[in-house]
Amino acid sequence: MISRNLFTDFLSIAVLVTLQIFLFNRIDIAGKYTPVIYIIFVLFYPFYRNLYIFLSASFILGLSIDAFLGTWGINAFATTLIAYFRTIIFKTSTEVSSDVFSFHNLQWSQFLFYIFSSIFVHQLLVQSIEFFKFDRFFEVILNILVTSVISIIFVLLYSLAFKIKEKV
């Protein structure tokens, strides 16, 4: 098991923000779809850690992204909300009835559903707040779906590379 403390949490945040801003935001698939990888922090943060530290760190992560993108708190709101409801999303993604959560016990379909649900809700919040207009409804929905799928691919590559399902 990976030992985590505040230093490693903030180091993770710094690395993810740097990667998102300077690498992944420069990737434009089909000219307008950008993968979102900073949500990895929220997805794979250990469940047994302090909730208030987790929510604060998630807020700082989203606020850091907002500071670089000039989006005025949209990412901070979405990231903190996903962090707050992460346990509920995890419970609905699985058939776990206990209060002990582990990715190790999940089947791949449950693991994928958890990742998809979290990223989809995050993208729904970000995109609908930032871009939503009634005359662009279908364009925003398409943008949410495509960005979610692209982000899921990158998160799964990360998960496979670091064997998240086996470690956390």
Side-chain angles (χ1 to χ4, degrees):
M1 183 155 307
I2 299 172
S3 174
R4 295 182 72 137
N5 57 34
L6 283 176
F7 176 74
T8 58
D9 289 348
F10 286 109
L11 185 63
S12 298
I13 288 172
V15 168
L16 287 171
V17 168
T18 302
L19 285 172
Q20 183 67 48
I21 297 301
F22 296 110
L23 179 65
F24 287 97
N25 277 4
R26 300 202 189 299
I27 298 173
D28 285 332
I29 299 170
K32 60 181 176 178
Y33 305 113
T34 304
V36 176
I37 57 102
Y38 67 91
I39 198 169
I40 286 171
F41 179 82
V42 176
L43 292 173
F44 301 125
Y45 194 84
F47 285 97
Y48 60 85
R49 296 282 309 277
N50 186 319
L51 178 64
Y52 299 111
I53 291 173
F54 173 54
L55 291 174
S56 300
S58 298
F59 177 76
I60 290 169
L61 171 66
L63 197 60
S64 300
I65 297 293
D66 286 326
F68 282 102
L69 298 180
T71 50
W72 295 88
I74 294 170
N75 290 291
F77 171 73
T79 306
T80 307
L81 201 66
I82 290 300
Y84 184 77
F85 288 112
R86 181 177 73 135
T87 305
I88 294 170
I89 294 170
F90 188 83
K91 281 184 179 180
T92 57
S93 302
T94 65
E95 293 131 13
V96 175
S97 59
S98 70
D99 288 337
V100 178
F101 305 110
S102 171
F103 291 111
H104 181 57
N105 299 331
L106 292 181
Q107 298 172 3
W108 271 102
S109 60
Q110 295 170 329
F111 184 68
L112 290 173
F113 188 72
Y114 164 70
I115 291 172
F116 177 77
S117 301
S118 299
I119 291 176
F120 181 79
V121 170
H122 181 270
Q123 285 303 305
L124 180 67
L125 291 168
V126 169
Q127 305 264 345
S128 61
I129 293 171
E130 190 170 3
F131 299 116
F132 188 76
K133 292 181 182 174
F134 284 113
D135 60 336
R136 294 177 54 194
F137 179 76
F138 293 110
E139 182 182 344
V140 171
I141 294 298
L142 179 66
N143 198 0
I144 291 168
L145 289 172
V146 173
T147 303
S148 295
V149 169
I150 292 167
S151 298
I152 288 166
I153 292 168
F154 280 97
V155 169
L156 286 176
L157 289 173
Y158 169 85
S159 164
L160 290 171
F162 293 102
K163 299 182 181 183
I164 296 296
K165 227 170 106 35
E166 296 164 9
K167 284 185 181 177
V168 181

Short mmCIF file of all heavy atoms in Angstrom, two decimals, residues 152-162:
data_model
loop_
_atom_site.label_atom_id
_atom_site.label_comp_id
_atom_site.label_asym_id
_atom_site.label_seq_id
_atom_site.Cartn_x
_atom_site.Cartn_y
_atom_site.Cartn_z
N ILE A 152 -11.55 9.15 -20.20
CA ILE A 152 -11.58 7.79 -19.66
C ILE A 152 -10.44 6.97 -20.24
O ILE A 152 -9.80 6.20 -19.52
CB ILE A 152 -12.95 7.13 -19.93
CG1 ILE A 152 -14.02 7.76 -19.05
CG2 ILE A 152 -12.90 5.63 -19.71
CD1 ILE A 152 -15.42 7.44 -19.46
N ILE A 153 -10.17 7.13 -21.50
CA ILE A 153 -9.06 6.40 -22.13
C ILE A 153 -7.75 6.74 -21.46
O ILE A 153 -6.97 5.86 -21.10
CB ILE A 153 -9.02 6.67 -23.65
CG1 ILE A 153 -10.23 6.05 -24.32
CG2 ILE A 153 -7.72 6.16 -24.26
CD1 ILE A 153 -10.46 6.48 -25.75
N PHE A 154 -7.50 8.03 -21.22
CA PHE A 154 -6.26 8.44 -20.56
C PHE A 154 -6.21 7.98 -19.11
O PHE A 154 -5.17 7.56 -18.61
CB PHE A 154 -6.07 9.96 -20.66
CG PHE A 154 -5.54 10.40 -21.98
CD1 PHE A 154 -6.39 10.86 -22.97
CD2 PHE A 154 -4.18 10.35 -22.26
CE1 PHE A 154 -5.91 11.27 -24.20
CE2 PHE A 154 -3.68 10.75 -23.48
CZ PHE A 154 -4.54 11.20 -24.47
N VAL A 155 -7.33 8.03 -18.40
CA VAL A 155 -7.37 7.55 -17.01
C VAL A 155 -7.13 6.05 -16.95
O VAL A 155 -6.42 5.55 -16.08
CB VAL A 155 -8.70 7.94 -16.34
CG1 VAL A 155 -8.88 7.24 -15.01
CG2 VAL A 155 -8.78 9.45 -16.16
N LEU A 156 -7.70 5.31 -17.89
CA LEU A 156 -7.47 3.86 -17.93
C LEU A 156 -6.02 3.53 -18.24
O LEU A 156 -5.45 2.58 -17.67
CB LEU A 156 -8.40 3.19 -18.93
CG LEU A 156 -9.85 3.07 -18.50
CD1 LEU A 156 -10.70 2.47 -19.61
CD2 LEU A 156 -9.98 2.26 -17.23
N LEU A 157 -5.41 4.28 -19.14
CA LEU A 157 -3.99 4.08 -19.42
C LEU A 157 -3.16 4.33 -18.16
O LEU A 157 -2.24 3.57 -17.85
CB LEU A 157 -3.53 4.99 -20.56
CG LEU A 157 -4.04 4.62 -21.95
CD1 LEU A 157 -3.65 5.70 -22.95
CD2 LEU A 157 -3.52 3.27 -22.37
N TYR A 158 -3.49 5.37 -17.42
CA TYR A 158 -2.82 5.65 -16.15
C TYR A 158 -3.04 4.51 -15.17
O TYR A 158 -2.13 4.04 -14.51
CB TYR A 158 -3.35 6.97 -15.57
CG TYR A 158 -2.91 7.21 -14.15
CD1 TYR A 158 -1.69 7.80 -13.88
CD2 TYR A 158 -3.73 6.88 -13.08
CE1 TYR A 158 -1.28 8.03 -12.58
CE2 TYR A 158 -3.33 7.10 -11.78
CZ TYR A 158 -2.11 7.68 -11.54
OH TYR A 158 -1.71 7.89 -10.25
N SER A 159 -4.29 4.08 -15.08
CA SER A 159 -4.64 3.00 -14.16
C SER A 159 -3.90 1.71 -14.49
O SER A 159 -3.42 1.00 -13.59
CB SER A 159 -6.16 2.78 -14.22
OG SER A 159 -6.53 1.58 -13.67
N LEU A 160 -3.80 1.39 -15.75
CA LEU A 160 -3.08 0.18 -16.16
C LEU A 160 -1.58 0.32 -15.95
O LEU A 160 -0.91 -0.63 -15.54
CB LEU A 160 -3.39 -0.15 -17.62
CG LEU A 160 -4.81 -0.63 -17.90
CD1 LEU A 160 -5.05 -0.72 -19.40
CD2 LEU A 160 -5.08 -1.96 -17.23
N ALA A 161 -1.06 1.50 -16.23
CA ALA A 161 0.39 1.72 -16.08
C ALA A 161 0.82 1.61 -14.63
O ALA A 161 1.88 1.06 -14.33
CB ALA A 161 0.77 3.09 -16.64
N PHE A 162 0.01 2.10 -13.72
CA PHE A 162 0.38 2.09 -12.31
C PHE A 162 -0.36 1.02 -11.50
O PHE A 162 -0.27 1.01 -10.28
CB PHE A 162 0.16 3.47 -11.69
CG PHE A 162 1.09 4.50 -12.24
CD1 PHE A 162 0.66 5.41 -13.18
CD2 PHE A 162 2.42 4.53 -11.85
CE1 PHE A 162 1.51 6.36 -13.71
CE2 PHE A 162 3.28 5.47 -12.37
CZ PHE A 162 2.83 6.39 -13.30
#
